[in-house]
Amino acid sequence: MTVAGVVGVLIGWVTVLIPNTVFGRDIAPVAWNYPVLVATAILSGLLAATYVRTDSAGPAPGDDDSAGARSGRLGALGAVASWFAVGCPVCNKFALLAFGYTGAQTWFAPFQPLLAALGLGLLWIGLAIRLQNQERCMVPAEWSSP
């Protein structure tokens, strides 16, 4: 829950979805920016929660294997893609350098919803990989069907 809050506040603050006096935004946010921010925060928090262990039994299954590392990279890429997706298209220095002010509005802004879908998809896939590699508890015999 902490990671979800930190990701939501960090991305929301820097992209000015959460109004503040430190950062500015030349183009107003669109309606889909807020649900993408919330979904990014939730999925990031869920992914981070799979890395938390409450016992001292050592690393969780999948922590040191390639699937665990791959899911972490996918999650990080997904969060960054979502960050660029909800940000102001002309405030993004990469888009501004690549396309110029008018080009960022013409070319990068229409691409942002696809970038949001890509970011959320990467977070979802990273979480799915991570959950697939978790240990499963055995169901007690009295709970199983006859």
PDB file of all heavy atoms in Angstrom, residues 102-119:
ATOM      1  N   THR A 102       5.040  21.967 -31.643  1.00  0.00           N
ATOM      2  CA  THR A 102       3.878  21.600 -32.452  1.00  0.00           C
ATOM      3  C   THR A 102       3.843  20.108 -32.729  1.00  0.00           C
ATOM      4  O   THR A 102       2.786  19.477 -32.684  1.00  0.00           O
ATOM      5  CB  THR A 102       3.886  22.374 -33.783  1.00  0.00           C
ATOM      6  OG1 THR A 102       3.967  23.766 -33.492  1.00  0.00           O
ATOM      7  CG2 THR A 102       2.645  22.092 -34.598  1.00  0.00           C
ATOM      8  N   GLY A 103       5.000  19.526 -32.997  1.00  0.00           N
ATOM      9  CA  GLY A 103       5.064  18.092 -33.252  1.00  0.00           C
ATOM     10  C   GLY A 103       4.687  17.268 -32.033  1.00  0.00           C
ATOM     11  O   GLY A 103       4.068  16.208 -32.155  1.00  0.00           O
ATOM     12  N   ALA A 104       5.045  17.742 -30.843  1.00  0.00           N
ATOM     13  CA  ALA A 104       4.672  17.024 -29.627  1.00  0.00           C
ATOM     14  C   ALA A 104       3.157  17.000 -29.472  1.00  0.00           C
ATOM     15  O   ALA A 104       2.587  15.992 -29.063  1.00  0.00           O
ATOM     16  CB  ALA A 104       5.324  17.669 -28.402  1.00  0.00           C
ATOM     17  N   GLN A 105       2.500  18.098 -29.830  1.00  0.00           N
ATOM     18  CA  GLN A 105       1.039  18.127 -29.767  1.00  0.00           C
ATOM     19  C   GLN A 105       0.424  17.284 -30.874  1.00  0.00           C
ATOM     20  O   GLN A 105      -0.588  16.632 -30.673  1.00  0.00           O
ATOM     21  CB  GLN A 105       0.521  19.559 -29.879  1.00  0.00           C
ATOM     22  CG  GLN A 105       0.770  20.380 -28.652  1.00  0.00           C
ATOM     23  CD  GLN A 105       0.246  21.790 -28.811  1.00  0.00           C
ATOM     24  OE1 GLN A 105       0.383  22.400 -29.871  1.00  0.00           O
ATOM     25  NE2 GLN A 105      -0.356  22.305 -27.752  1.00  0.00           N
ATOM     26  N   THR A 106       1.041  17.325 -32.049  1.00  0.00           N
ATOM     27  CA  THR A 106       0.479  16.634 -33.211  1.00  0.00           C
ATOM     28  C   THR A 106       0.776  15.139 -33.208  1.00  0.00           C
ATOM     29  O   THR A 106      -0.093  14.333 -33.552  1.00  0.00           O
ATOM     30  CB  THR A 106       1.033  17.251 -34.510  1.00  0.00           C
ATOM     31  OG1 THR A 106       0.793  18.651 -34.480  1.00  0.00           O
ATOM     32  CG2 THR A 106       0.401  16.637 -35.737  1.00  0.00           C
ATOM     33  N   TRP A 107       1.998  14.749 -32.831  1.00  0.00           N
ATOM     34  CA  TRP A 107       2.421  13.360 -32.934  1.00  0.00           C
ATOM     35  C   TRP A 107       2.474  12.624 -31.603  1.00  0.00           C
ATOM     36  O   TRP A 107       2.075  11.462 -31.522  1.00  0.00           O
ATOM     37  CB  TRP A 107       3.784  13.277 -33.611  1.00  0.00           C
ATOM     38  CG  TRP A 107       3.755  13.799 -35.000  1.00  0.00           C
ATOM     39  CD1 TRP A 107       4.158  15.024 -35.437  1.00  0.00           C
ATOM     40  CD2 TRP A 107       3.239  13.119 -36.147  1.00  0.00           C
ATOM     41  NE1 TRP A 107       3.935  15.159 -36.776  1.00  0.00           N
ATOM     42  CE2 TRP A 107       3.372  13.988 -37.248  1.00  0.00           C
ATOM     43  CE3 TRP A 107       2.688  11.871 -36.363  1.00  0.00           C
ATOM     44  CZ2 TRP A 107       2.964  13.646 -38.516  1.00  0.00           C
ATOM     45  CZ3 TRP A 107       2.285  11.533 -37.638  1.00  0.00           C
ATOM     46  CH2 TRP A 107       2.430  12.408 -38.693  1.00  0.00           C
ATOM     47  N   PHE A 108       3.001  13.253 -30.566  1.00  0.00           N
ATOM     48  CA  PHE A 108       3.166  12.548 -29.293  1.00  0.00           C
ATOM     49  C   PHE A 108       1.865  12.466 -28.501  1.00  0.00           C
ATOM     50  O   PHE A 108       1.560  11.422 -27.918  1.00  0.00           O
ATOM     51  CB  PHE A 108       4.260  13.210 -28.454  1.00  0.00           C
ATOM     52  CG  PHE A 108       4.553  12.469 -27.180  1.00  0.00           C
ATOM     53  CD1 PHE A 108       5.145  11.214 -27.216  1.00  0.00           C
ATOM     54  CD2 PHE A 108       4.233  13.016 -25.953  1.00  0.00           C
ATOM     55  CE1 PHE A 108       5.413  10.514 -26.050  1.00  0.00           C
ATOM     56  CE2 PHE A 108       4.494  12.332 -24.781  1.00  0.00           C
ATOM     57  CZ  PHE A 108       5.084  11.078 -24.827  1.00  0.00           C
ATOM     58  N   ALA A 109       1.075  13.530 -28.477  1.00  0.00           N
ATOM     59  CA  ALA A 109      -0.169  13.534 -27.701  1.00  0.00           C
ATOM     60  C   ALA A 109      -1.146  12.433 -28.137  1.00  0.00           C
ATOM     61  O   ALA A 109      -1.712  11.750 -27.286  1.00  0.00           O
ATOM     62  CB  ALA A 109      -0.833  14.906 -27.765  1.00  0.00           C
ATOM     63  N   PRO A 110      -1.360  12.205 -29.442  1.00  0.00           N
ATOM     64  CA  PRO A 110      -2.256  11.111 -29.825  1.00  0.00           C
ATOM     65  C   PRO A 110      -1.696   9.722 -29.491  1.00  0.00           C
ATOM     66  O   PRO A 110      -2.449   8.756 -29.377  1.00  0.00           O
ATOM     67  CB  PRO A 110      -2.390  11.262 -31.344  1.00  0.00           C
ATOM     68  CG  PRO A 110      -2.014  12.661 -31.635  1.00  0.00           C
ATOM     69  CD  PRO A 110      -1.017  13.039 -30.599  1.00  0.00           C
ATOM     70  N   PHE A 111      -0.381   9.630 -29.319  1.00  0.00           N
ATOM     71  CA  PHE A 111       0.263   8.357 -28.995  1.00  0.00           C
ATOM     72  C   PHE A 111       0.167   8.044 -27.494  1.00  0.00           C
ATOM     73  O   PHE A 111       0.339   6.891 -27.097  1.00  0.00           O
ATOM     74  CB  PHE A 111       1.731   8.419 -29.453  1.00  0.00           C
ATOM     75  CG  PHE A 111       2.523   7.192 -29.168  1.00  0.00           C
ATOM     76  CD1 PHE A 111       2.261   6.002 -29.820  1.00  0.00           C
ATOM     77  CD2 PHE A 111       3.552   7.225 -28.236  1.00  0.00           C
ATOM     78  CE1 PHE A 111       3.000   4.868 -29.555  1.00  0.00           C
ATOM     79  CE2 PHE A 111       4.302   6.101 -27.964  1.00  0.00           C
ATOM     80  CZ  PHE A 111       4.023   4.915 -28.630  1.00  0.00           C
ATOM     81  N   GLN A 112      -0.122   9.034 -26.666  1.00  0.00           N
ATOM     82  CA  GLN A 112      -0.134   8.846 -25.219  1.00  0.00           C
ATOM     83  C   GLN A 112      -1.137   7.800 -24.729  1.00  0.00           C
ATOM     84  O   GLN A 112      -0.797   7.026 -23.830  1.00  0.00           O
ATOM     85  CB  GLN A 112      -0.346  10.181 -24.503  1.00  0.00           C
ATOM     86  CG  GLN A 112       0.919  11.017 -24.490  1.00  0.00           C
ATOM     87  CD  GLN A 112       0.733  12.326 -23.758  1.00  0.00           C
ATOM     88  OE1 GLN A 112      -0.098  13.141 -24.154  1.00  0.00           O
ATOM     89  NE2 GLN A 112       1.508  12.516 -22.705  1.00  0.00           N
ATOM     90  N   PRO A 113      -2.359   7.692 -25.263  1.00  0.00           N
ATOM     91  CA  PRO A 113      -3.245   6.617 -24.806  1.00  0.00           C
ATOM     92  C   PRO A 113      -2.674   5.222 -25.092  1.00  0.00           C
ATOM     93  O   PRO A 113      -2.829   4.301 -24.295  1.00  0.00           O
ATOM     94  CB  PRO A 113      -4.541   6.842 -25.580  1.00  0.00           C
ATOM     95  CG  PRO A 113      -4.523   8.289 -25.932  1.00  0.00           C
ATOM     96  CD  PRO A 113      -3.071   8.631 -26.131  1.00  0.00           C
ATOM     97  N   LEU A 114      -1.991   5.073 -26.228  1.00  0.00           N
ATOM     98  CA  LEU A 114      -1.345   3.790 -26.524  1.00  0.00           C
ATOM     99  C   LEU A 114      -0.198   3.525 -25.558  1.00  0.00           C
ATOM    100  O   LEU A 114       0.016   2.388 -25.127  1.00  0.00           O
ATOM    101  CB  LEU A 114      -0.843   3.770 -27.968  1.00  0.00           C
ATOM    102  CG  LEU A 114      -1.903   3.898 -29.046  1.00  0.00           C
ATOM    103  CD1 LEU A 114      -1.265   4.027 -30.420  1.00  0.00           C
ATOM    104  CD2 LEU A 114      -2.846   2.718 -28.999  1.00  0.00           C
ATOM    105  N   LEU A 115       0.527   4.563 -25.212  1.00  0.00           N
ATOM    106  CA  LEU A 115       1.605   4.448 -24.238  1.00  0.00           C
ATOM    107  C   LEU A 115       1.048   4.065 -22.871  1.00  0.00           C
ATOM    108  O   LEU A 115       1.646   3.266 -22.144  1.00  0.00           O
ATOM    109  CB  LEU A 115       2.371   5.763 -24.175  1.00  0.00           C
ATOM    110  CG  LEU A 115       3.747   5.777 -23.559  1.00  0.00           C
ATOM    111  CD1 LEU A 115       4.678   4.789 -24.249  1.00  0.00           C
ATOM    112  CD2 LEU A 115       4.335   7.178 -23.646  1.00  0.00           C
ATOM    113  N   ALA A 116      -0.110   4.604 -22.519  1.00  0.00           N
ATOM    114  CA  ALA A 116      -0.764   4.244 -21.254  1.00  0.00           C
ATOM    115  C   ALA A 116      -1.173   2.778 -21.258  1.00  0.00           C
ATOM    116  O   ALA A 116      -0.954   2.055 -20.276  1.00  0.00           O
ATOM    117  CB  ALA A 116      -1.986   5.123 -21.022  1.00  0.00           C
ATOM    118  N   ALA A 117      -1.738   2.318 -22.361  1.00  0.00           N
ATOM    119  CA  ALA A 117      -2.133   0.910 -22.462  1.00  0.00           C
ATOM    120  C   ALA A 117      -0.903   0.004 -22.390  1.00  0.00           C
ATOM    121  O   ALA A 117      -0.937  -1.046 -21.739  1.00  0.00           O
ATOM    122  CB  ALA A 117      -2.893   0.680 -23.767  1.00  0.00           C
ATOM    123  N   LEU A 118       0.178   0.414 -23.043  1.00  0.00           N
ATOM    124  CA  LEU A 118       1.416  -0.358 -22.985  1.00  0.00           C
ATOM    125  C   LEU A 118       1.952  -0.411 -21.559  1.00  0.00           C
ATOM    126  O   LEU A 118       2.337  -1.477 -21.070  1.00  0.00           O
ATOM    127  CB  LEU A 118       2.465   0.254 -23.920  1.00  0.00           C
ATOM    128  CG  LEU A 118       3.857  -0.370 -23.865  1.00  0.00           C
ATOM    129  CD1 LEU A 118       3.823  -1.771 -24.436  1.00  0.00           C
ATOM    130  CD2 LEU A 118       4.857   0.495 -24.607  1.00  0.00           C
ATOM    131  N   GLY A 119       1.974   0.733 -20.875  1.00  0.00           N
ATOM    132  CA  GLY A 119       2.475   0.778 -19.505  1.00  0.00           C
ATOM    133  C   GLY A 119       1.662  -0.094 -18.569  1.00  0.00           C
ATOM    134  O   GLY A 119       2.218  -0.872 -17.781  1.00  0.00           O
TER     135      GLY A 119
END
